[in-house]
Each structure stands twice: as C-alpha cells, then as structure tokens.
Amino acid sequence: NNNPQKPKQRHFRTTLYLDDGSSLHPHLGPYFSDGQRRVDYVLAYEIEKPSSIRHRSSRFSGNKFIQRLRRSFNRSSSRAALHPKADPEIAAQEQRTDYHEDDKRFRREEFEENLLEMGLELEKDERSKIPEMGFVKIHAPWNVLCREAEFMKLKMPTKKVLNPSTHHQFNVRQFIHKVTAPLHPKIEPSRPQNVKSLCHPFSREKQHLFDLSDRDRFFDSKTRSSIVYQILKRTRCTKAKYSMEWACYSVFYKYQPIGLIRKYFGEKIGLYFAWLGVYTQMLIPAAIIGVIVFLYGCATVDDNIPSMEICDPRNNITMCPLCDHACSYWELVTACGTARASHLFDNAATVIFSIFMALWAVLFMEHWKRRQMRLNYTWDLTGFGEEEQDEKVKLTCTDRMPAYLTTMVTMCFLIVLTFAIVFGVILYRISIKAALHMSNYPAARSNIRATVKTTAAIINLIIIIILDEIYGSIARWLTTLEVPKTDKSFEERLIFKAFILKFANAFTPIVYLAFFRGRLVGRPGKYLYVVGSYRMEECAHAGCLMELCIQLCITMLGKQLIQNNLFEIGIPKLKKLLRRRKSDLDSKQEEELNRTMQRYEKDHFLGPFVGLSPEYMEMIIQFGMVTLFVASFPLAPLFALLNNIIEIRLDAKKFVTELRRPIAVKAKDIGIWYNILRGLSKVAVIVNAFVISFTSDFIPRLVYQHMFSPDGTLHGFVNHSLSYFNVTDFQPGTEPVEPMHLGYKVEICRYKDYREPPWSSTPYQLSKDFWAILAARLAFVIVFQNVVMLMSDFVDWLIPDIPKDISVQMHKEKILMVEVFMKEEQGKRLAAQDNQNQDKCASPSSDNQSPPQPRSRPISHAN
Amino acid sequence: NNNPQKPKQRHFRTTLYLDDGSSLHPHLGPYFSDGQRRVDYVLAYEIEKPSSIRHRSSRFSGNKFIQRLRRSFNRSSSRAALHPKADPEIAAQEQRTDYHEDDKRFRREEFEENLLEMGLELEKDERSKIPEMGFVKIHAPWNVLCREAEFMKLKMPTKKVLNPSTHHQFNVRQFIHKVTAPLHPKIEPSRPQNVKSLCHPFSREKQHLFDLSDRDRFFDSKTRSSIVYQILKRTRCTKAKYSMEWACYSVFYKYQPIGLIRKYFGEKIGLYFAWLGVYTQMLIPAAIIGVIVFLYGCATVDDNIPSMEICDPRNNITMCPLCDHACSYWELVTACGTARASHLFDNAATVIFSIFMALWAVLFMEHWKRRQMRLNYTWDLTGFGEEEQDEKVKLTCTDRMPAYLTTMVTMCFLIVLTFAIVFGVILYRISIKAALHMSNYPAARSNIRATVKTTAAIINLIIIIILDEIYGSIARWLTTLEVPKTDKSFEERLIFKAFILKFANAFTPIVYLAFFRGRLVGRPGKYLYVVGSYRMEECAHAGCLMELCIQLCITMLGKQLIQNNLFEIGIPKLKKLLRRRKSDLDSKQEEELNRTMQRYEKDHFLGPFVGLSPEYMEMIIQFGMVTLFVASFPLAPLFALLNNIIEIRLDAKKFVTELRRPIAVKAKDIGIWYNILRGLSKVAVIVNAFVISFTSDFIPRLVYQHMFSPDGTLHGFVNHSLSYFNVTDFQPGTEPVEPMHLGYKVEICRYKDYREPPWSSTPYQLSKDFWAILAARLAFVIVFQNVVMLMSDFVDWLIPDIPKDISVQMHKEKILMVEVFMKEEQGKRLAAQDNQNQDKCASPSSDNQSPPQPRSRPISHAN
C-alpha cells in the first residue's frame, strides 16, 4: 500500500495557493488538524445571537448561495406552512428572531449527524478569531468521492491517452495559431497540450480504466467542493420543528493569473468569460467595417448632391417657421451643417452595413455555438445532462395566479412608467426650447439646439441608470412572489423580467427618436399640439438620424463609463471597506488578525458573489445597441469593442480579488442568455429595416432617382421633397411675430413633407408621391426583412454547430473506447469458452460469480 | 440451472407468429435445426451465377438495406479505387459481372469466419426450396447479446417497478381518456398499464439490477435483430481483393394488429405512425374551423355588398373586352356567379382563419415535440444518442467540387424546367382560349372557361405526378454523385433535394395563379403580349382566388387519389405478382412450395422496404397545401383530414402485408422532416400574408371603407375599383370586331385597375388610390407577418417541450434510482468500515478485490 499523503502536500500548494504565502505556515493550510485530511468545504454559523441587525444583514443579504441553502432547509421542514407569497429570505429572517439558539444547535447537530451518515468527515472550529462565528470543516473521503462521482456521472480521464493525429488538415488553424501566438497568455501547461486523456463517466466497477495512481489528484479541488455541495443539498433535517439558521461560506482564494480563471471558477463562469471573449473578438471586424462605412461617409460628403443643394445659397429656399409665433421663417442654407453631418451616417453604405451586421449577429451566434461545443469537448461536458433540481414547493395554478397577476400588472405599469418618463423628457425639451426661443438674449438663442439636446440626453441617461437599479430590485421582488419551483427557474424568470424592464428603459428614448420624433407634427397651419399649446418637436432638416446618433453615443459612452467605473469598481470597494469597518476592529488588531487568520476567515470579509446576471445583462444591452440601431450609428461596434477590451480584464480582476470564490457550477451553455441574444438579433433585422426605410432618406432618394428625376441623378431632390405652404393659411395666432426676419416678405414657405401645393384642387392633402414613397418604404421593409432572414437561416444552416475537428476527435475517442472494451472482452470470452462447452445453459447469476480479476487487469494498448 | 428452453417455445409463438399457422409445424419455426437456438437474423445469397439480368434487378434494385451493406463492403475493400462519381450500386453491378463465383465464396467464407469470431453462431441452409438461393441463419448467444447491449447502451427494464402515483392531478387527462376510450384499439396489455419498470442502460457489471429470470424474453426479437445488425455492420472483409456480392434479407413477418406496429417495426417507423397520428388528430380542429369559415361565407353571400352591386342589372356597367379582336365588350352583371362564389372563400373570416392556421402550425409542432418526448420516455430512449456512423469515404473538397457543381446546375435546371412547363401550360390555356373564342360554335364559346380551366388543371396534375417520379430518381442520382460520408447524411441530402424539387413542382402552378396571373396583363390599349400576339390571361372579375381554389382542389384530390390508390396499393401488388411470376413456377408447384417453404423463404417474395421518405414526402407536401394557401382554400384541412384517416390504415397495412420487415431502427426524432416542417410553417406566414393582401380583395375593400366610402359601407366599391377607358384609345387592330355585340355603341368601357381616367391630365397613369392601396397592402403584410411570427414564438415559448407529467416521472425515476444505489451502497459501506479502521490508506486496487457478492443481492424496496 503506497501512502498517498506525500504528494498531497506538494499538489495542494501548486494548485490552490499559487499566489499565497501560506506555504510558510503549513499548519494553517486547509487541512484538518491531523494535517492529513484535506478541507473540501467549510460551513460557517453564528454561535451567539447576533447583537445588532446591521451585522446580520451585511453578512447574509445578497449571498445567493446561503439564501439557496437556507431556503432548501426551510422548505424541507415546513413545506406545508409556507405560504405562497413568502420571500424565503424574508421568511428566514422573521423566523430567526423567533427561535432560540437551542433550536438552532439542535438542528445543526442533526444536520451534522446526517452528514456523518453520508460518509463525510467533519471537524469543528468554534474558537476561531472571528467572534460569534463557528466553522465546520468538511472532508470527503475517497469512497464518498467515488460514489458521488458515479452518481453525478462525472467524466474522468482514463488511462488511455489520445494522441491527436499529426497530419493536420487544418493548416489555416495552425497558421492562425502561430500568428496569434504573442496574444496567448504565457501559462505553463500542466500536461503536454497535444495529449488528451480519454474521458469516461466514472464508475466504481470500472475503476481499472482510470488512472488512480494518485488518488488525491484524481478529483481536483473544484470537483471535490462540488461533490460535497451535492451531498449538502441532499441532506435534510427532519426532526426539528423549527427552521434553523444556516450560513455556509465556501472557501474563496485570492488572485490568479487571468488565463486560469476558467479552471478556477468552474464551467459557468468560464463560459461567461469565453462568451465575452468571443463577443469581443467578433466585434473587431464589425468595428473595422463600421469605421470604413463612416470614413466612406466622410469621403463622399462633398459629392452628396442633396447636401450640396441645401448648402447652395443660390437655391434660396424659404422654410416655414419651426414653432408657433416666436419662430420666424428661415433659409434652408442654414441647415447646411446638419445636412452634411447627416451624410456621414446616412449614405448608401449604411444599408450594406445593416445587412452585414444582421449576418454578423448570426455569425456571432454560430461562432459561439461552435466555441461552446469545443469547450464542452475540452472540458469533457459532452453528454453531461443538467441536473434536474428537486421541486421545493408544490403550488397549484390557483395559488400562483395572484403572483402572476401582480407580475403582469407591475410589468405593464413599469413599462408605461418608462414611456411616461420619456414623454416627460420630451415635454421638457419642448418647453425649454419654447422658453429659450422667447428669451431676448441672442446668445441663448444661438445655442438653443445644442443646449436642449445635451441636457435632455444627460437627463435621459441619468434616468436610465437610476431606473435600471430600481427595476432590477423590482424584478427580483416579483420573481420571489412567484415562488418558482427550482433555482434554475428562479434565475431564468428573474433574468427575463429584468431584461424586459431594462431593455424598455434603455431603448424607449431611442425608439422615440428613431420612429416618432418629427413624424407626429402635423403640417403648417394645422400643427399637432400637446398639453395645451406646445407644438410637437421637429427634427432638423436632414432627418432625425443625426439626433439618434448623438443619443446613442451618449447612452453607450455614459452608461459604460458610469456603470463600469462607478458600479463595478467603486461600489464593491466601498462595500468591502464598510464590511471591515463594521467588525469594529482598530487597525492594529486587524493587522494582528490578518497574520493569524485562517484563509477562510480572511475571505469572510470579501464581497459575496451575486451571480453572473448583471455582467451578462450589461453586455446584452450593449449587444442590443450594437445590432438594433447600427443603421443609424455605424461606430457603435467600435465603441463596444473598446469598452469590452477593458471589461474582460475588469471582470476578471473583480472576480479574483473582490469577491468570494463562487461554487464551481457546471454548465453546458449560457442558458437563457442565448435565447435573448437570438431574440435580439431577430428584432434587430426588422428594426434596422425600419430605420433605413423610415428614419433615413434612403428610400425617398431612391424613388426620386428612378421615378421623378429628369436625368436619373439626385439633382432637384431637395426641392421635390419640400411642399409648398401659403402663409395666408396660417391659423390666427400661429403666424410668426417677426415675418420680416429674413429681410423680405414671405408669401410661400416650404416644409418637409409630400403634400399637395396650395393651388391644387385638394390643398395640403397627402400627394401621390407620398403614397408612392410610402409603398416603396414598406416594400423595402418586407424585402429587407425576408432577404436578411433567409440569409441568416442559410448561414445558420451552412455552418455546422459542431466544429469538424471536434466531431472527428469525438468519433475517434468513441472508437478507441469500444476497442478498449473489446480487447478486455476478448480475454474474458476466451476464458469463458471452456466453461461454456461444459455448461451451455448457465444460470443468470453465474456471470456474477466469475472472478473479477480480468477487469482489474491494466490496459495497455498503444495508439 | 433452470433450463431456459421451455418458455422460449411459448414466447416465440405469441410474439412473432401471432397470425400464422406455423405452430403446426414446430420444426419449421425460426430455430436452428437443433430446435434450441433461435434464429435472430437471416442472410441470403445467390449460389450460382444468375442466369438472367431481370432476375437480378428485380431482386436487388430498391432494397436500401442491401445497397447499404454492399456499399460498406465495397468501400472497406476498395476504398482507394473508388472514384468519387461512382454510384455504389452501379459500381457493384459492374463489378459483379467481372468477378467469379469463387471470389464470392471466398469472401463469404471470410465474412462468416469473422462473424464466428465475434461470437455469433451460424447455420447454413443451401438446400432451400428457392433455386439459386442460399441462406445463413444467425443466432446471437446470451453473452454476445449482453456485450452488445452494453456497447449500444440499451436501456433495459430493471427489477425496480415504478407505481405511478394514484392521486392524479390531471383530471382532464383522465376525463379525455375515458371519453376517447372507444377510440383506443382493443389490445391486451402485456403488463399492467400503470406499472412501468425502471430502465437503466444495460451493464454486465450491474446484471443484478435487471430482471434476468427469463433470459430469452429479456431481449425481444427486435432488439436481438438490431444487435446482430450492429455486429454485421462492424464486421468487414479484408483479405479478398475483389468486392463480393452480398445480399442479405432480414426476416419479415406478416400482419399484426395495427396498434402493435410500433413495437414490431422499431422506433423509427413507430415515430412515423405516431407523427401521422398527431398530424391527423391536429387536422380535426383545423378542418372544423375551415368548414365554419366556409359556411360563414355561404351564409353571408347574400349580404355581400360588392357581389350585390355586381349582380344588380341596374348598375349597367360595360366592361372592356378580355381579349383582342375576337372578344367584345361585356356587362359586369354576367360575372355575378363568379363574384358570389368568390365570396365563399374571400371574406373577413379568411383573415382570422389564416392567423389561426399559422398558430395551428406552431401548435402542431409543439404538440409533436411533446408527443415525441413522451414516446422517448415510454420507449426509454431518453439519453440515447444517435450512433455516429463511420466515415466510409475520405474525399477532399476538391474531389467533391464537381459533384456539388453538378448538383447545383442540375437543380437550377430542373427548377427552370418546372417553370417552363408551367409557362407552357399557360400558353396552352391562352391559345386554346383564343381558338375557342374565334370558333363559330356558340356551344363551344359558352363552355370556354370551364373547358379551359378543367383541361389545364388536369394537364397540370398529370405533369406534376410524372415529374414527381422523375425528380425523385434525379435527386437520388445527384446524391450518389456527392458520395456523402454517412448513411444518415445520404438520407438527409436525398430528402432535401427531393423536397426542393417536388415542392417546386407541386407549388409553381399555384404560386403563378396566386400572385402573377391577372397582374401582368397591362391595360386596355397597352396590353402585354407574349410569344407574338397572345395577350396574357386575365382572371375573372372577382380576383383569381376562385381559380386558385379550383387548382388547389384538383391538385389535392387528384394527387392523393392517384398516388394513394395507384402508386401505394396498385403498384406494390403488381410488383409482388411479377416477382412471383418471374420465379417461373406454375400454380401447383407454387402451392406445394407455399406449404413447405420456410418463413424467410416466403418473405423473399415480398417487396423490399424502401424507407419512409416517400411516405413523409407525401405528407409534407400535403402539409404545405394545408398551411401555405389556407387563406384561399379553407377546406384544405378537411380534405387532408379525410385523406389521412385512410392513409394511416393504408400505410399500416402496406408495411405489415406488402413489404419485407424492415430493420428495427432506433430513432429519437423524425430528423430532417421536422426542420422542413418548421421551414414550411415559417414560409406559410409570409405566403398567407401575401395571399390575403394581394390575391384577395380584402385590403382594397378595407381601404375603400375607411378612406373613400361616403357612408363607411362598401356601397360604391365596385364602381370605385374600376377604371375608365375611352374606346377610341384602342390600338389599331385590337378593337373588337363586333363592337355592337351588346346592342349599343360603347364609348367608355371599364376595367379592373386603379388608373387615372382618360380625361385627367395624365390619362391611364397609376392613380393616387393605387399607391395608397399598395401601401396599405404592404403595411398589412408587414403587420401580419410580424404579429403572427411574434405570436408563434410566444406560443412556442409558452408550451414546455417536455410534458409536465413526464418530467415529474423522470425526476421520480432518477430519485428512485439513486435510492437503489444508496441502499446497496450502505450495505457495502458498513462492511468496508471495519476494513477501513485496519487499513486507512488502502491501495487503489483494493476496491476491485472486494467480493462482488453484495452487488448480486436482489433488490426489494417497496415504493
């Protein structure tokens, strides 16, 4: 019998304490006091009744894992008593005040007994340096690990090693690998990179297949902790009447090289970073093409006939006033600057870029699917089925109805609230504009547009950020009301609600700008008024695209800067500081503690891990900005790219240094986020179609060129797009107070619309051109939507979900596995053949009595 | 040792020979000559060189299984020699003439040796009653069955029995079950229906878990045959230089009660019948609503203002001639009948019905997904992964390029050919119509429309049916050119190609009728001419919807009647007859043979199973008819329903009595057909949107009511939809020869279009109304498409893919399984605890040396 204790010590330091000085204090390492058994999990609990409320809340609120555990205990003991509306956390806190320390200890002891019965080994440490806290260290012995690994169908490496074929077909891949070599992080691979162990679900009967030479390295620390977690989840208290307070902090470790984060945090967080990486990587081509489109706009701005016509003072077109009374007539030539700027974003290349971005979104999804598949293969998750969780609450539809109704009503109310706030900002803009127009300071007047736009956009941004936080809390509250059956369902419902609310919040002002602003203004002489006498705001002459751009720009930049810097870095740091302060220690004591505290005691001061949802949510909203309105803002991918390059490093740093180490959760995919991404990329197609055909002037220009232009060019387009208005048709009181503002008397002014002139038989009615252009716009939407959808489906179908080399390797592995079994089989069969001749009709149990030796024979097939 | 021979005999008769008199000849049953070992598989081969070509072709062509086997042998032996374009079947036939009987025997013997090495037992029967044929009967002994079952991860019933909970929540289900009780076939269940064995992938190490009391019943006949088939597929000949002729017919059994078909034919065919059942069942509500819509049309036909106006002789509207020269002016009142008939299909209810059918399609898909999940659970297929097949050919992209190019070119050519043929039929119609118009027989003239429509529709139908067969063969040929890597890939590519061609074939005439006919006619005085002087055909006054209806009706009825009766019943019977005739036996000899022939010899005369593709294809085309043009033909679901009720029984009968029993293939789903169905239901949304907005008069009527009508009703709609034409503007030679046909001189005639009148400043230009209505039509398409797509996605999201009761039961099973393992574990652990105290650091191999007795202990946990 070889003693497995020796390699343990060495292994422990290399994998867990890479960055830590704890090797200097071997007795402080995560071992039981015997120095032999490893600590796989630590449970923490309060010994005395907590003296202050703030203590409790800071320690327990937000730690999802504890909530989950606590909920599971509550439910199992008081399933019948739990009423449907009870938020488990609130319920637990209420109960906590009622029950005594005795009950808690009673339940705790029963739980510990149950854990012992499951084969776990415990060590208590009530004399820790943190007052009021007790810790139970848990060690899982070998046989328990084996048993649970078999239940969980963990895929473990067998002795068989797969040497990948050396005659690679994928020269392009190798080339790319070589080119990108400097970009790879420099990490010493733990085993030769081109050697991969064959993995097979662990089975105790087939132990001979696995490389068990070093039992302590066979299951790594993340597996061990998740095995213990599985047992904890299963274990229940049944004897005690009252629910017990349970607090369990897992062991978190500080700082790791960024490249190892996936290995360290488990698959779920690994997938998040992988996804973020793929997204950022895919943004590179989008950003490049976006910049090219923008540069194309810059280069062609001087060749653009409509803006040339607008800027030409010889055309001398007099426009109707933009507001009642205070405003006067103005000359089109003053809109020259805006018209030229609009061309930067509204040119022929934009349409192509929109189509490109729709396909880009599909390519991104496909690329991610393949990447996910590759990771699944590398991490041996293929065939791993998501563990179906226990249903903790049984409620009928009638029980759930009130909660669902509440959710529906609240969601509707919040969305209407969002609309109302956006409308409020519009009113603010209108009234400020009117007020400034009426003021007598010329300086104020000249800066009207800039002032109004900037303040409104900033107000919008602040409202968005504030509402974002509020909506997040409301979504969580609504989800707890619904009492979802499983944790997974809870998470999905929460994400879905939060997404709907935050999406509406972020995009309502943008949608208003893109599709409604400047459209609901009526016409000269018959304007549309809101709230008494305010005229609805109009866009600048060259369409609302320019303002949409500014809004998108401010939202993206502002949101990213504020949310990244303030919320993601500032607040966690602040919280950590506060948590330390709350433990009422002066700096000297603290230093003393720092030196002597166990690792898990130190980690207690770190922030809890609140799940990946906020990280994903931020990225998904950004993805929406990038895809939904890309037609109006080709630089969006570039902005997103720059943000994400920082974001990856920032998140990694946060997870490693600021938060407690989360439970290593297995996950095959990114779950509901993928569906949301799919939905967004579908919506993006139709939104872009509408932006191009209705917000930009693309279709009117096209129609003019092919239906009305005398020479097939855009010459005369500006004139054609303006309707005539006879100033005598102004309603009394709405005519400008300074009709002679321009220095001459105006009889006919122009406005941007397709209406019959005053001298036609049906003056100011929508003209035939209007209907023809409307039909063209709608036809474009149909064609664009269906063509892009077809192309997307085609791309989706063309790219296989499983990368070729992975599917080839999987197939190879399978063949090898069958070969291993067959070789083993053959030996058995030959031995059995003799018996068979003697006894052809063996009884069913005879096979079981055959000696098990052939199974344990080591397998040695060269590849 | 209990002798397993006794129950075998009984079991065999009950499951396999239910309908047969062979129990009178026990020695003729499928046993080896020792009467002990069961025949699990029969291979057949020709002993002498076949004397005539016709013999061979009738025996080998079309039998997919043989082709597959033969291909696999060819490939494995002459992989390098096979050039990419070679059709394996053709190649095999060519080679067959070159190689001698010796080579064949040589290879056959090697193959048999290999089979023996794999553990199978063989018995030869070369003195069978069929001349020139030899048979090899195969028996798989118990240990081989066990080994293969483990490899295939077959889920087998364990001893643990799951008693479903008696306190059902699903009262609705029980109620439905009771109500539909008379509809369930009366089959004696082999085990109590509400008892279900827990299933677990078979493992020889865990034999004690399974109920092996009767080894011969443990693996049923379908499992045994598919196990042998697995071994056959794996076994290869390597020694012989030449490819060998191989012919292997599986054992087919006649006639079974229809309800047992699934159990008898394996999962793949079972799924087909299940799918057909779900489809037929789902057609019932669609048919009912379709009939209601139709009846609504019938009921409101007298209240329909437009047809009332058309039929009112007081309106006295003179219409322009429908063809040049020969036709004359006509009065609108003569179109009264068509207008009234059109209302039956073109009314407000049609729009609602279209939306309903789009959602119906989604519901159908969802229902099927759930049904499939339920079947997967019942048949213990959950977790079963589709076996990845071996790649038989390695070809680079360059090798494949010519084949892909050929496919692309041929497919394009065939689709263009389809268009050309449809255009030919149009020309036929135009010319016949013109000829009949010019004839002097008044009888001929009055029947013009009816004659032309009917003959054209019948010609179309015949062309469709003929091309269908041709295209099927071409698709197969193209697929063999591509040399797909796996059989699954072969099947999918074939299906995809055949579907594209057959779909284009079936739907081109219908699409022409719905969207192009009557639209490309020009206007009076400026008609569109094709092939010299033929004017494009126009629709009857009330739109083309009526003709679309007739075409759909004829296609659906005709295709179903001819394909069902002639192709599915008639031709197989004929083939069977011919096959018997070819064996050159007179009736007396035949009778003699019939009495003495073995079952497998008799089955040799049955038709081969050619796969499920034709059955699915027929149903998918029908599904297309039902969903794509449902807006124009609400009775389509009814027709489909009536057809399918017969179809299910017919297919079942055909599979049971007319065809050889196919290999029991495992399948979790219906494969590519599901994707095709999804694609069709997506296309259906947009097609229906276009049919409603462009083919029917729904949008013009709506626009008239809301924009032009003086009183908000449809009064005056007919007049508004007709434009004016001044007869003096006819181009010379196109004016009618009989201008006084109506008895008065016509100065202004009317035609159906929205154009400016002759007295406007821009005569005969498209009017403002035209553009407004076009915009409305396009807007409707966008709204309809997106609303229906959104609703579909919502329904898709709302209905869980796994039925609730199934997911609950799966969860229960899992818990039970863990419990079983845990109880077993506990016993072990207690025993091991003593050892542990003595030797804490046991070596890894010690677990294997522990006695296996505890594992074989019978498990008996009451539920």
Side-chain angles (χ1 to χ4, degrees), chain A residues 192-212:
Chain A
Q193 268 195 331
N194 54 353
V195 169
K196 184 175 183 299
S197 286
L198 273 179
C199 283
H200 195 257
F202 186 76
S203 160
R204 277 165 298 172
E205 280 89 0
K206 295 205 171 64
Q207 279 194 13
H208 55 284
L209 291 177
F210 301 96
D211 179 18
L212 300 181

Side-chain angles (χ1 to χ4, degrees), chain A residues 619-690:
Chain A
M619 283 297 116
I620 296 280
I621 298 284
Q622 190 204 65
F623 180 82
M625 297 265 178
V626 169
T627 51
L628 286 183
F629 288 94
V630 78
S632 50
F633 189 39
L635 293 181
L638 180 69
F639 281 27
L641 175 64
L642 294 177
N643 175 68
N644 288 5
I645 288 173
I646 304 164
E647 177 82 17
I648 293 180
R649 307 292 145 175
L650 206 138
D651 280 352
K653 218 177 162 187
K654 186 175 74 177
F655 281 6
V656 172
T657 61
E658 303 291 333
L659 298 180
R660 293 179 195 154
R661 183 179 176 181
I663 284 291
V665 179
K666 268 207 172 181
K668 271 188 100 164
D669 49 40
I670 57 173
I672 194 177
W673 296 110
Y674 185 78
N675 300 333
I676 290 178
L677 277 177
R678 265 206 106 80
L680 269 184
S681 60
K682 269 187 194 170
V683 173
V685 174
I686 184 91
V687 169
N688 275 313
F690 272 100

